[in-house]
């Protein structure tokens, strides 16, 4: 088992952004962990304060993962759509 640390690199704003990030990281074969902030008991109360979810990756993959996230966030319609 690897003892390499996980590092939070991004706060995901929506389920759509999360799906795109997951797809891109999987295509690069990067390990990741996503902690969603929704809680049915509180009906999404914490999403406004904390964002939709937090993205964690292994320290060794931090730079590549950040560049992937930056690229995805540069696609304005998908990430920031107000429809």
């Amino acid at each position: 088992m690897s003892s390499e640390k996980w590092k939070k690199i991004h706060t995901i704003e929506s389920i759509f952004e999360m799906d795109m990030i997951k797809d891109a990281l999987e295509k690069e074969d990067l390990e990741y962990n996503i902690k969603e902030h929704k809680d049915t008991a509180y009906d999404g109360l914490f999403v406004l304060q904390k964002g939709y979810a937090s993205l964690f990756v292994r320290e060794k993959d931090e730079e590549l993962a950040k560049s992937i996230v930056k690229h995805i966030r540069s696609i304005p319609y998908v990430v920031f759509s107000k429809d």
Side-chain angles (χ1 to χ4, degrees):
M1 184 169 149
S2 176
S3 62
E4 190 166 351
K5 294 180 182 172
W6 290 86
K7 187 165 184 180
K8 179 182 174 183
I9 64 157
H10 181 62
T11 299
I12 297 169
E13 298 300 324
S14 70
I15 192 169
F16 307 107
E17 181 183 4
M18 180 178 75
D19 288 343
M20 291 185 66
I21 289 172
K22 286 168 66 172
D23 185 54
L25 294 175
E26 287 167 6
K27 284 180 180 170
E28 292 293 327
D29 205 26
L30 294 180
E31 275 188 276
Y32 65 88
N33 193 333
I34 293 177
K35 180 179 189 266
E36 292 185 50
H37 300 298
K38 65 179 183 175
D39 185 330
T40 54
Y42 297 103
D43 196 27
L45 176 69
F46 298 112
V47 171
L48 292 175
Q49 295 172 339
K50 298 181 180 181
Y52 184 81
S54 295
L55 172 64
F56 297 84
V57 296
R58 300 268 184 200
E59 282 187 334
K60 67 180 175 60
D61 297 326
E62 179 181 0
E63 292 308 312
L64 177 56
K66 281 183 174 180
S67 70
I68 290 169
V69 168
K70 183 178 180 181
H71 172 72
I72 289 169
R73 290 187 59 84
S74 73
I75 305 169
Y77 179 77
V78 176
V79 176
F80 300 109
S81 174
K82 301 295 183 196
D83 293 344

